[in-house]
């Protein structure tokens, strides 16, 4: 038996990975960055094959990592975690720097930065597991790191399907935890609008014309009307 709730007890941080594809910066959010050895310093990430950033890492053999801090704006996570670099340049309205290996990374919203050169990769089916040597590391801010739990519990963030940790059970649990839900044991149906990019649900009968998703920044046309069963 595999109890999926067991996976919910794993702890992670949140990271912005960037690389370069066809001479253009690409990047996305991951929670799977980790240090794997200290001498020499090596790190790893598990990243979905469908992510455009993965193509950049395969092409260049390099990536940058920014450790997101607790006050990182949700718009930054929305841009990098719920949209594809193939469609637009995610780095235009954001403060960036270029690493010694020539890769653009996000200079704001982070507390530490690593430059990595890939030395091994493993095909995991949906994802590729990259291991690399750290060739540069520095502290870029004083605010403490954001954890995956903090992102969900305090910032109200969601996780898209490409993430290694994605679970449809989690989305259903989030949908059930509508605001004001009391635990009477009885069920009632509420009308809401679900963002088709990130899964966020706004519980209103009509969505205003200028509504923008507070999690991923998607505009109104990305929302579909849903009826969700919640505690009465
Ligand atoms: C909280 C969070 C955690 C994520 N973790 C991962 C991850 O570990 N691996 C992964 O491949 N994608 C992860 N993603 C999804 C990618 O960031 C997302 O698919 C992104 O749109 C890919 O962008 P790209 O196509 O420009 O590379 C995560 C997203 C969020 C919001």
């Amino acid at each position: 038996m595999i109890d999926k709730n067991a996976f919910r007890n794993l702890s992670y941080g949140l990271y912005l990975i960037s690389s370069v594809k066809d001479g253009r910066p690409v990047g996305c959010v991951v929670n799977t960055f980790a240090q794997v050895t200290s001498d020499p310093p090596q790190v790893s990430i598990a990243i979905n094959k469908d992510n455009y950033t993965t193509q950049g890492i395969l092409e260049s053999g390099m990536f940058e990592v920014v450790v997101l801090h607790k006050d990182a704006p949700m718009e930054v996570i929305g841009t990098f975690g719920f949209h594809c670099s193939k469609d637009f340049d995610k780095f235009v309205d954001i403060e960036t720097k270029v690493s010694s290996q020539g890769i653009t990374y996000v200079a704001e919203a982070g507390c530490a930065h690593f430059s990595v050169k890939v030395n091994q990769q493993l095909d995991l089916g949906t994802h590729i597991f990259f291991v690399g040597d750290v060739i540069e590391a520095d502290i870029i801010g004083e605010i403490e790191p954001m954890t995956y739990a903090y992102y969900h519990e305090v910032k109200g963030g969601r996780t898209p399907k490409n993430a290694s940790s994605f679970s449809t059970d989690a989305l259903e649990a989030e949908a059930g935890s509508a605001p004001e839900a009391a635990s009477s044991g009885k069920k009632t149906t509420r009308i809401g609008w679900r963002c088709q990019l990130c899964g966020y649900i706004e519980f209103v009968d009509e969505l205003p014309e200028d509504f923008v998703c507070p999690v991923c920044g998607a505009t109104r046309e990305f929302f579909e009307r849903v009826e969700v069963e919640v505690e009465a």
Side-chain angles (χ1 to χ4, degrees), residues 14 26-33 46-54 77-86 90 127 148 151-152 157-165:
L14 271 195
V26 291
C28 69
V29 175
V30 306
N31 59 279
T32 51
F33 175 70
I47 184 162
N48 199 291
K49 288 177 183 172
D50 291 340
N51 290 6
Y52 205 57
T53 308
T54 309
I77 299 174
T79 300
F80 281 84
F82 291 95
H83 297 270
C84 185
S85 306
K86 195 175 186 175
K90 296 182 179 179
H127 288 63
Y148 194 59
Y151 167 71
H152 282 280
R158 303 289 191 270
T159 305
K161 65 175 175 28
N162 280 4
S164 310
S165 54

Side-chain angles (χ1 to χ4, degrees), residues 22 31 77-79 96 100 110 115 140 153 162 185 208 214 223 225 231:
D22 301 327
N31 59 279
I77 299 174
T79 300
T96 58
S100 60
S115 287
I140 56 171
E153 287 157 20
N162 280 4
F223 281 76
R225 191 175 181 280
E231 300 269 321

Side-chain angles (χ1 to χ4, degrees), residues 37-195:
T37 61
S38 61
D39 188 17
Q42 292 182 103
V43 292
S44 68
I45 49 166
I47 184 162
N48 199 291
K49 288 177 183 172
D50 291 340
N51 290 6
Y52 205 57
T53 308
T54 309
Q55 303 312 315
I57 300 172
L58 287 168
E59 190 177 292
S60 67
M62 299 181 278
F63 62 92
E64 303 294 316
V65 183
V66 167
V67 181
L68 289 173
H69 64 54
K70 274 182 151 176
D71 295 342
M74 290 302 273
E75 296 76 41
V76 172
I77 299 174
T79 300
F80 281 84
F82 291 95
H83 297 270
C84 185
S85 306
K86 195 175 186 175
D87 303 331
F88 67 100
D89 184 351
K90 296 182 179 179
F91 297 79
V92 278
D93 292 325
I94 207 156
E95 189 194 328
T96 58
K97 283 191 176 158
V98 177
S99 72
S100 60
Q101 55 180 3
I103 298 198
T104 304
Y105 64 93
V106 175
E108 60 180 77
C111 52
H113 160 254
F114 298 85
S115 287
V116 183
K117 204 176 264 307
V118 173
N119 61 30
Q120 287 188 63
Q121 66 192 57
L122 182 64
D123 190 329
L124 301 177
T126 54
H127 288 63
I128 297 179
F129 187 72
F130 289 106
V131 178
D133 293 304
V134 175
I135 56 166
E136 198 174 274
D138 54 352
I139 297 288
I140 56 171
E142 296 306 319
I143 305 171
E144 59 183 294
M146 165 116 66
T147 63
Y148 194 59
Y150 187 86
Y151 167 71
H152 282 280
E153 287 157 20
V154 180
K155 307 277 268 188
R158 303 289 191 270
T159 305
K161 65 175 175 28
N162 280 4
S164 310
S165 54
F166 176 76
S167 139
T168 46
D169 295 356
L171 256 191
E172 276 151 26
E174 282 164 2
S177 65
E180 299 123 37
S183 54
S184 67
K186 288 188 183 158
K187 299 277 184 190
T188 184
T189 301
R190 291 193 65 182
I191 292 167
W193 294 82
R194 186 201 295 267
C195 175

